[in-house]
Amino acid sequence: MLQQYDPRNADIRYWVDGVLRHRDEPGISPFDSVVQGGDAVWEGLRVYDGGVYSLREHLARLRRSALALGFARIPADEEIVAAVRATLDANAMRDGVHVRLTLTRGVKVTSGMDPRLNTSGCTLIVLAEHKPPVYDTGGLSLVTSSVRRPGPDVLDPKIHHNNLINSILAKMEANLAGADDAMMLDGRGFVAETNATHLFAVVDGGLVTPRAVACPEGITRDTVIRLAPGEGLDVAVRDVSQVEMYTADEVFCTGTMGEIAGVVRIDGRPIGDGTVGPVTTRLAGTYREHARKHAQRL
């Protein structure tokens, strides 16, 4: 799967600390912590008819991550919301939009790793693009990556940080294997997530999803867990093996950028009958309706 360039994004403007710049205009200092060491946290937001779904939850996770990394002078939620609103207004965007929200430790007085070199507070970056859900509705193929997801003994996944080399290496393996994305395991060999999304399996008429011990606590994942009982589906959150994924009736992945997308093949094995299943299709529609209905107006 390769995302396609949307020509509507040719002249978009992005926000950096109160300044809106054309996409071709540089706005990040080479001394910024995100450049120096990937020292930043981020959230992906999806805009539905002028509102953002789970805005409060996304901002809370951003703040928890920034606090865990010891960022100084974290902007208030109201400041961040105002920056998102200004960016969307500047680009006349209301629907079918994905927002990449980044908060860095800020600009350093000189290059180096030490956070004491950061004396000016955080840098806020808002990038909004015309971008409908990115996954093929016909079904995705996954390949298991040799790259493992670290657990909290290495790097706590509850910190939603910008250092994505682990995921990029897994994605490279998927590309080389001709798959859409990579299924990643934790240090014990159980399924964690893909390089970009959380995973669910449909087993015996219910849902199974891995524990969030080697992956972030996903906001779309949490929504599916809450919506499932209304669809007559029990949810088990537990360790899940590769074999359970291979033999599941259906598999799907969840995430803000792609919403809910069916998986039809893993490591060359067809999942179920090799097509996107009825439970996945039903939940995808339910999720989309729920997100639109409950999107928070800016």
Side-chain angles (χ1 to χ4, degrees):
M1 182 207 73
L2 177 63
Q3 291 186 46
Q4 300 299 311
Y5 168 71
D6 190 326
R8 293 178 297 171
N9 295 321
D11 290 308
I12 57 172
R13 301 172 71 195
Y14 70 101
W15 169 288
V16 181
D17 276 351
V19 179
L20 283 161
R21 302 176 184 272
H22 187 274
R23 64 173 292 160
D24 295 336
E25 181 186 358
I28 306 298
S29 168
F31 290 98
D32 197 281
S33 293
V34 72
V35 178
Q36 292 278 319
D39 190 2
V41 296
W42 70 280
E43 290 293 324
L45 312 177
R46 182 157 287 286
V47 180
Y48 298 90
D49 192 25
V52 174
Y53 178 63
S54 289
L55 177 62
R56 183 179 69 252
E57 290 82 357
H58 280 289
L59 293 179
R61 186 170 65 176
L62 185 80
R63 185 167 300 277
R64 287 195 303 271
S65 298
L67 288 170
L69 290 176
F71 286 9
R73 298 199 288 282
I74 301 168
D77 286 358
E78 293 75 16
E79 294 178 61
I80 299 174
V81 171
V84 173
R85 184 189 304 117
T87 305
L88 293 174
D89 287 348
N91 292 293
M93 292 175 170
R94 284 194 54 81
D95 200 48
V97 174
H98 181 267
V99 177
R100 177 83 174 203
L101 187 64
T102 304
L103 188 69
T104 87
R105 193 183 295 274
V107 177
K108 295 177 177 291
V109 294
T110 187
S111 62
M113 183 186 298
D114 195 334
R116 291 175 297 180
L117 299 173
N118 293 81
T119 60
S120 59
C122 295
T123 301
L124 176 64
I125 306 165
V126 183
L127 173 62
E129 295 180 275
H130 295 285
K131 184 174 290 190
V134 296
Y135 290 117
D136 181 357
T137 57
L140 306 176
S141 63
L142 305 180
V143 63
T144 302
S145 174
S146 67
V147 181
R148 297 296 179 98
R149 269 280 186 246
D153 59 325
V154 177
L155 180 59
D156 197 326
K158 289 183 173 59
I159 302 174
H160 206 234
H161 57 82
N162 274 60
N163 198 322
L164 300 179
I165 292 297
N166 183 262
S167 296
I168 292 167
L169 288 170
K171 178 64 173 177
M172 289 170 64
E173 288 189 344
N175 290 346
L176 289 170
D180 294 302
D181 269 336
M183 184 169 75
M184 301 183 71
L185 310 180
D186 65 20
R188 303 165 302 147
F190 290 106
V191 175
E193 60 173 347
T194 77
N195 55 278
T197 57
H198 291 90
L199 283 166
F200 284 81
V202 180
V203 179
D204 296 331
L207 300 183
V208 175
T209 191
R211 296 189 298 136
V213 294
C215 62
E217 295 172 306
I219 291 169
T220 308
R221 170 184 180 269
D222 181 64
T223 300
V224 170
I225 291 171
R226 289 187 287 108
L227 291 176
E231 297 293 317
L233 299 165
D234 294 328
V235 184
V237 181
R238 58 171 175 78
D239 289 334
V240 181
S241 72
Q242 278 179 284
V243 169
E244 289 182 276
M245 286 292 181
Y246 294 157
T247 59
D249 298 317
E250 302 177 36
V251 172
F252 61 87
C253 57
T254 65
T256 300
M257 187 177 286
E259 298 182 335
I260 295 177
V263 175
V264 298
R265 188 173 296 272
I266 302 176
D267 294 335
R269 297 164 172 84
I271 304 304
D273 65 2
T275 64
V276 177
V279 174
T280 300
T281 301
R282 188 169 82 247
L283 277 174
T286 299
Y287 173 83
R288 195 172 301 112
E289 291 175 11
H290 177 84
R292 284 194 171 276
K293 181 178 179 180
H294 296 279
Q296 181 178 332
R297 300 299 174 222
L298 297 175

